[in-house]
């Protein structure tokens, strides 16, 4: 449920989530060198599902798990599934910082659309902060767009779906429990990928790859829990520019593990 507005708490929680979430992207990029991307997407959503959904249903029971926001929860889950799928596909071919700089059109979209969907008051300060954040991201990363290609477009599309996910996170928080909301983040993706994966599974992962695939789900659960809690304390349009903080751990991971030096 949405708490009384406390912007500082919301920003702190969001920064914690943003510092963790690129670990998930890095694991996916690492696995993509040997495994098909559909297998990795399945592992991300099924791992999240198997670790959390049965427990959430047990704790909240049917009445708490299914409520008036279920339709919006499924919509929100579909948005994060599509956003994640397009981003994972993008990072198989382009560096993490480049993909992230394209995904980070999301905060600008959130600031604009939150006035229509959430009826939030959009001030010039919020718009300026979002634009400065995006400009700062490009200045720091200086992504090489000379090779702008189809995978770059995938990252851009990912940003659109990610923005809608963030807006709907704030929307469902008005009347849903955090654990239930976190569970619905994975249900659509887990169902879709489990139905599709028999047609796309080509490789048998080794033990090391299985362990890494198993780590993606818990990382996602922790980071997105912080996201959900953050959006309980502050408006979506207020938190939107803070998403540029993600470049800190994203660039650090990119340099240390993939030698993609901005």
């Amino acid at each position: 449920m949405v708490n009384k507005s406390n912007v500082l708490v919301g920003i702190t929680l969001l920064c914690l989530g943003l510092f963790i979430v690129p670990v998930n992207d890095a694991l996916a990029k690492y696995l993509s060198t040997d495994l098909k991307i559909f297998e990795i997407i399945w592992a991300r959503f099924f791992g999240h599902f198997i670790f959390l959904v049965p427990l959430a249903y047990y704790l909240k029971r049917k009445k708490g798990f299914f409520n008036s926001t279920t339709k919006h929860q499924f919509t929100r889950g579909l948005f994060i599934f599509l956003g994640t799928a397009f981003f994972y596909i993008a990072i198989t071919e382009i560096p993490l910082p480049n993909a992230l700089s394209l995904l980070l059109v999301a905060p600008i979209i959130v600031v604009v659309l939150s006035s229509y969907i959430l009826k939030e008051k959009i001030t010039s300060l919020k718009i300026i902060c979002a634009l400065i954040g995006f400009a700062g991201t490009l200045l720091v990363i200086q992504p090489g767009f000379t090779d702008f290609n189809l995978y770059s477009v995938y990252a851009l599309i990912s940003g659109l779906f990610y923005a809608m996910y963030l807006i709907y996170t704030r929307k469902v928080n008005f009347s849903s429990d955090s654990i239930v909301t976190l569970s619905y983040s994975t249900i659509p993706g887990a169902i879709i990928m489990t139905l599709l994966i028999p047609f796309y599974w080509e490789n048998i992962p080794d033990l090391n790859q299985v362990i890494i695939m198993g780590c993606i789900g818990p990382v996602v659960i922790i980071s997105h829990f912080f996201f959900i809690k953050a959006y309980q304390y502050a408006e979506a349009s207020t938190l939107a520019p803070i998403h540029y903080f993600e470049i800190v751990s994203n660039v650090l991971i990119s340099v240390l593990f993939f030698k993609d030096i901005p």
Side-chain angles (χ1 to χ4, degrees), residues 26 56 66 83 102-103 110 120 128 153 162 215:
F66 299 103
L102 290 165
L103 179 143
V110 170
E120 294 180 359
I128 291 171
V153 175
Y162 186 57
C215 289

Side-chain angles (χ1 to χ4, degrees), residues 51-124:
F51 275 109
L52 184 66
V53 175
L55 176 62
Y57 189 85
Y58 173 78
L59 292 174
K60 302 301 176 181
R61 303 300 181 182
K62 184 177 180 179
K63 186 176 180 180
F65 200 81
F66 299 103
N67 54 45
S68 60
T69 66
T70 297
K71 180 177 69 174
H72 293 310
Q73 292 280 20
F74 265 102
T75 301
R76 174 180 166 277
L78 188 60
F79 282 141
I80 192 59
F81 164 66
L82 292 171
T84 301
F86 276 107
F87 190 76
Y88 276 17
I89 294 170
I91 62 177
T92 61
E93 296 293 335
I94 62 178
L96 273 173
N98 288 38
L100 179 65
S101 62
L102 290 165
L103 179 143
L104 285 178
V105 299
I108 298 175
I109 297 172
V110 170
V111 169
V112 174
L113 293 185
S114 59
S115 64
Y116 297 99
I117 299 175
L118 300 174
K119 308 303 180 184
E120 294 180 359
K121 183 179 179 180
I122 305 304
T123 64
S124 57

Side-chain angles (χ1 to χ4, degrees), residues 40-56:
I40 301 169
I41 296 171
W42 171 83
R44 179 258 186 258
F45 284 95
F46 187 76
H48 183 166
F49 182 97
I50 204 68
F51 275 109
L52 184 66
V53 175
L55 176 62

Side-chain angles (χ1 to χ4, degrees), residues 191-232:
I191 293 173
I192 293 170
M193 290 311 302
T194 300
L195 291 174
L196 291 178
I197 199 63
F199 301 101
Y200 293 96
W201 195 279
E202 296 183 8
N203 306 296
I204 299 177
D206 58 30
L207 180 60
N208 182 55
Q209 291 168 336
V210 169
I211 293 172
I212 295 174
M213 291 171 78
C215 289
I216 295 177
V219 171
V220 170
I221 290 171
I222 295 169
S223 59
H224 283 255
F225 178 77
F226 283 127
F227 288 172
I228 291 167
K229 298 301 292 185
Y231 278 78
Q232 290 181 352

